[in-house]
Amino acid sequence: MKKIYLDYSATTPLDSDVAEAMRPYMTDVYGNADSVHFFGRAASVAVDEARRTVAEAVNAAHTEIYFTSGGTEANNWAIKGVAFESIGKSAKKRIITSAIEHPSLLDSVEFTRKLGFETVILPVGSDGILAAETLENALDCGAALVSVMTANNETGTIQDIKKLAEIAHSHGALFHTDAVQAVCSERIDVKDSGVDLMSFSAHKIYGPKGIGALYIRKGVRIDKLIGGGHQERSMRGGTTNVAGAVGFAAAMKKAVEERENNNRRVKALRDRFLRKIVSEIPDLSVNGSMERRIPQNLNVTAGGLYDDSVIHLLDRKGVACSSGSACSSGSLDPSHVLIALGLNEAQAKSSVRFSFGKYTTEAEADAAAEIFGECVTSLRKLQKK
Ligand SMILES: *Cc1c(COP(=O)(O)O)cnc(C)c1O
């Protein structure tokens, strides 16, 4: 049987138009974008254009977009960059974030404790949403930085970033958001949302792996994370990933153009899948708000299971999906996100994230729903014994 890929939140296939746009920069145009000669200039022109395209897609100035190796580096840079900048200054040494952030964000926040920062991890509701008052209260003691993700990678829930940024600013704190999961389906406008820092990644929007960006609003002071040459306005050393930048820009442009159509299609597929599994599987619950959620995501728990064997059974039957985030799968820890939503360990471990994309067909969604139903039924019989 043909394998069914329902793990678009872990990574997306590379769009063939994006691959075509990248091809010349992996073959003929091989110059170092920093070289002064013709070969370098050809590469540098392409990178410059890519930066403008990415900037335009999110309403930033091109001088505010800094290419990184992906979302992980952008998150590390935003958090550690603010912390490093504070060294030797009288700045407030406190960082506030939420309990459902990506591991790259939480790990970076944890690191700042070595630099003397106090860290605050805010709880979310059972719907996966951070309440404005929760942040408001935590800011009574002030902070250097607040970081709350735009859309969650496990449950797809969307935060009110504009409101949260406003609250952070009213207490003198900077605001960062990890927008990696949101870019595909949500209109991103850095000016309108009022954020200071925003993280992006190309491979979640049908672009290549190994490239992303950090938006740094003009006037925001943050230290560099990776020292070296004068690349990225002397803020991020390392020979520029020319093909990556070109591919990222092509993916970004296409994501914006296709957004409305893809959203309609993907949401219809997901909802159809949900209706099917709900009608076939008793005691099934959806994790996180269904209303404030990116259209590609569905995260469910089938009652009565106690570990992640359902994911492995689905894999054997040709359906690829995730339990928790891909970064923590393989480990036996329950998802920190689902625990934060109030699930117990068994529920968290047995939860499944199905994520749909523009190449998913109705036939695939239907087949996967049926297979999921069979898997749950057979595991429930087994695990009862
Ligand atoms: C995938 C992901 C990242 C990491 O991006 P990489 O480019 O894979 O390093 C960060 N945050 C979220 C929400 C993600 O989904």
Side-chain angles (χ1 to χ4, degrees), residues 9-10 69-73 75 102 104 149 151-153 178 180-181 200-204 210-211:
S9 289
S69 63
T72 297
E73 186 190 322
N75 282 346
H102 190 266
S104 60
M149 72 203 311
N152 184 263
N153 45 302
D178 171 351
V180 170
Q181 286 288 334
F200 303 104
S201 175
H203 77 98
K204 306 285 174 77
I211 183 94

Side-chain angles (χ1 to χ4, degrees), residues 112-126:
T112 65
R113 296 167 69 89
K114 293 184 192 165
L115 303 176
F117 271 75
E118 180 200 347
T119 60
V120 181
I121 315 280
L122 300 177
V124 296
S126 59

Side-chain angles (χ1 to χ4, degrees), residues 68 70-83 95-98 101-106 108-109 130 135 139 143-151 159-162 164-169 173-180 190 193-201 213-217 220 222:
T68 65
T72 297
E73 186 190 322
N75 282 346
N76 271 265
W77 186 6
I79 303 301
K80 293 176 185 172
V82 168
I95 293 186
I96 300 176
T97 189
S98 84
E101 300 295 315
H102 190 266
S104 60
L105 197 293
L106 288 174
S108 302
V109 169
L130 173 65
L135 177 60
L139 275 162
L145 175 70
V146 174
S147 179
V148 180
M149 72 203 311
T150 306
Q159 308 296 333
D160 188 350
I161 290 308
K162 188 173 178 172
L164 299 176
E166 205 179 283
I167 295 171
H169 288 156
L174 290 172
F175 189 86
H176 165 257
T177 188
D178 171 351
V180 170
V190 293
S193 61
V195 305
D196 302 294
L197 301 152
M198 191 183 276
S199 301
F200 303 104
S201 175
L214 181 64
Y215 158 78
I216 307 177
R217 186 170 62 73
V220 168
I222 100 167

Side-chain angles (χ1 to χ4, degrees), residues 123-333:
V124 296
S126 59
D127 56 358
I129 306 293
L130 173 65
E133 311 83 73
T134 308
L135 177 60
E136 189 88 59
N137 294 338
L139 275 162
D140 279 349
C141 307
L145 175 70
V146 174
S147 179
V148 180
M149 72 203 311
T150 306
N152 184 263
N153 45 302
E154 297 193 38
T155 60
T157 45
I158 301 172
Q159 308 296 333
D160 188 350
I161 290 308
K162 188 173 178 172
K163 174 90 190 161
L164 299 176
E166 205 179 283
I167 295 171
H169 288 156
S170 72
H171 289 82
L174 290 172
F175 189 86
H176 165 257
T177 188
D178 171 351
V180 170
Q181 286 288 334
V183 176
C184 208
S185 58
E186 310 307 304
R187 199 177 67 87
I188 304 289
D189 184 326
V190 293
K191 297 277 180 315
D192 179 61
S193 61
V195 305
D196 302 294
L197 301 152
M198 191 183 276
S199 301
F200 303 104
S201 175
H203 77 98
K204 306 285 174 77
I205 59 168
Y206 308 95
K209 293 164 183 62
I211 183 94
L214 181 64
Y215 158 78
I216 307 177
R217 186 170 62 73
K218 185 172 185 288
V220 168
R221 298 186 54 84
I222 100 167
D223 207 343
K224 64 182 118 183
L225 180 66
I226 298 178
H230 295 294
Q231 294 90 356
E232 303 301 309
R233 300 160 66 86
S234 296
M235 285 291 278
R236 198 270 186 187
T239 302
T240 308
N241 178 355
V242 181
V246 168
F248 181 18
M252 196 62 136
K253 189 153 182 271
K254 199 158 177 181
V256 172
E257 287 164 3
E258 292 183 336
R259 193 174 281 150
E260 229 172 285
N261 266 336
N262 283 347
N263 282 356
R264 201 176 314 116
R265 240 197 107 251
V266 168
K267 183 174 183 303
L269 276 174
R270 178 198 64 187
D271 293 346
R272 179 186 170 97
F273 177 89
L274 177 60
R275 278 194 303 274
K276 261 182 109 68
I277 59 173
V278 162
S279 74
E280 279 169 27
I281 306 171
D283 188 15
L284 186 89
S285 48
V286 175
N287 299 313
S289 165
M290 207 56 206
E291 292 74 41
R292 289 173 61 178
R293 187 187 202 94
I294 51 175
Q296 71 183 51
N297 175 290
L298 189 63
N299 191 310
V300 295
T301 309
L305 307 183
Y306 55 80
D307 63 13
D308 64 348
S309 38
V310 66
I311 298 290
H312 302 292
L313 191 53
L314 280 163
D315 178 41
R316 280 210 296 283
K317 291 178 182 275
V319 179
C321 50
S322 266
S323 72
S325 67
C327 311
S328 59
S329 68
S331 83
L332 286 174
D333 291 338

